[in-house]
Amino acid sequence: MKIALVGVGKIARDQHIPSIAASPDWKLAATCSRQGSVEGIPAYTDLDEMMAAHPDISVISMCMPPVPRFDFARRAIAAGRHVMLEKPPGATLSECHALEDMARKAGVSLFATWHSREANRVAAARDWLADKTITRCHITWREDVRKWHPGQDWVFDPGGMGVFDPGINALSVMTKILPAPVHLLGAELSFPANRQTPIAAQLQFTDNVSADFDWRQEGPQTWDVEVWTEAGKLHLTHGGEHMTIDGVEAGADPVVPGEYPGLYAQMAQLVRAKEIDMDLSPLRHVADALMLGKRIETDAFDW
């Protein structure tokens, strides 16, 4: 199937373009971006112009930041194209619900992607926990914003989500593996004195579930999920790439290894089945944190 990329930035170059190139399901047929292009692929700066020039492109993958994404996705759906949304699927819950309504009326597929759910051991963790009694869960998601978003001020602007840009990855894993849903009880959010979004967050959920997000960690990065049960402790490390049960390696690799290759395989299935997957539970937890969170001012942040 022919697919187009809208937004050719860091995430597109690091993940989307290699995953499409390696997939048996997709052929990259065009790009639309103000700043980037792919050698040998028709490039456009206007979405409507691209769609008019390529009526045979049935799927469009949206890779730009969340704030401008709604209008691009709306126009693609109106043109009868299937749409794949980079995480988070939108800047607000309301616009995500609106896109789903539009897609259902248009009869096209729509996919809110959560790439961390496709890490190698996340499905195995979900399966192991399915019949267990969980006594505690703690998530530690600490990384260096300077490494992953160098100079990208939009992450600290309204709608950029701040530390919830990576933190939502942790929440996507949490909502995938826990056998019962939880909801937020409270949060402490640390905002740099000169920024509009938090750089760190401490979250407390029901059922003794907690999370620690921080965007200031230098050196080795930490993406861990620990779950204590009556049958032992499950530990996901490296964002879900590895899993241990009481310290012993466990779990099997998925059928399609790799986070973004897994997403593109799922999108192919959705398009063929004419289905929609708009699970918004990770974004809902972020919205709850921003509503319930206690604001704490911390040191100014500059690149």
Side-chain angles (χ1 to χ4, degrees):
M1 291 177 283
K2 291 185 178 181
I3 191 169
L5 281 178
V6 177
V8 183
K10 188 177 189 309
I11 192 65
R13 295 190 181 281
D14 290 350
Q15 301 293 346
H16 290 265
I17 294 168
S19 297
I20 292 170
S23 171
D25 297 306
W26 302 106
K27 176 182 178 181
L28 183 59
T31 65
C32 178
S33 178
R34 293 179 301 173
Q35 298 178 337
S37 60
V38 179
E39 185 177 357
I41 303 298
Y44 299 84
T45 57
D46 182 85
L47 176 65
D48 295 324
E49 181 184 352
M50 183 191 77
M51 291 192 295
H54 299 273
D56 56 337
I57 293 178
S58 61
V59 180
I60 298 179
S61 183
M62 301 289 177
C63 305
M64 77 282 284
V67 171
R69 194 180 301 147
F70 174 80
D71 183 60
F72 285 83
R74 175 190 62 79
R75 284 188 278 156
I77 291 170
R81 314 302 171 97
H82 308 287
V83 173
M84 185 173 177
L85 301 167
E86 174 61 70
K87 69 86 189 173
T92 70
L93 287 166
S94 294
E95 67 181 42
C96 291
H97 288 301
L99 289 177
E100 183 174 356
D101 289 343
M102 294 175 198
R104 293 194 184 281
K105 291 175 182 176
V108 299
S109 295
L110 182 65
F111 186 19
T113 68
W114 303 106
H115 65 83
S116 289
R117 287 181 173 179
E118 303 306 311
N120 282 343
R121 293 294 187 268
V122 170
R126 175 202 60 200
D127 294 343
W128 190 83
L129 290 170
D131 60 353
K132 304 297 188 297
T133 298
I134 295 172
T135 58
R136 183 187 171 206
C137 173
H138 184 68
I139 300 166
T140 306
W141 219 260
R142 290 171 161 252
E143 61 181 56
D144 185 353
V145 65
R146 290 184 173 92
K147 176 179 179 179
W148 301 103
H149 290 281
Q152 296 179 27
D153 283 318
W154 67 266
V155 298
F156 286 112
D157 292 336
M161 296 181 65
V163 75
F164 287 110
D165 179 87
I168 205 170
N169 296 332
L171 296 173
S172 74
V173 173
M174 180 190 81
T175 52
K176 182 75 171 181
I177 68 173
L178 293 184
V182 298
H183 64 266
L184 192 76
L185 295 174
E188 290 188 355
L189 310 179
S190 298
F191 285 76
N194 60 336
R195 300 292 180 171
Q196 297 296 311
T197 57
I199 199 166
Q202 302 286 326
L203 310 178
Q204 186 64 50
F205 298 88
T206 54
D207 297 344
N208 206 19
V209 176
S210 57
D212 169 21
F213 301 157
D214 203 310
W215 233 355
R216 298 168 294 192
Q217 179 154 307
E218 300 178 0
Q221 311 286 273
T222 305
W223 302 295
D224 288 1
V225 180
E226 300 171 277
V227 187
W228 289 261
T229 81
E230 88 294 348
K233 178 187 174 183
L234 179 147
H235 191 183
L236 286 174
T237 60
H238 298 86
E241 288 299 303
H242 303 284
M243 180 176 94
T244 61
I245 305 296
D246 289 335
V248 179
E249 288 286 339
D253 287 336
V255 175
V256 180
E259 296 182 6
Y260 281 83
L263 292 178
Y264 276 97
Q266 286 189 53
M267 185 61 183
Q269 294 174 0
L270 288 174
V271 171
R272 292 182 179 120
K274 300 180 180 179
E275 292 179 348
I276 288 173
D277 183 346
M278 279 292 283
D279 177 18
L280 300 178
S281 53
L283 185 59
R284 189 169 64 247
H285 287 308
V286 173
D288 288 351
L290 294 174
M291 286 192 290
L292 289 179
K294 176 183 177 181
R295 181 186 178 106
I296 300 171
E297 186 171 299
T298 189
D299 294 341
F301 175 86
D302 292 298
W303 301 106

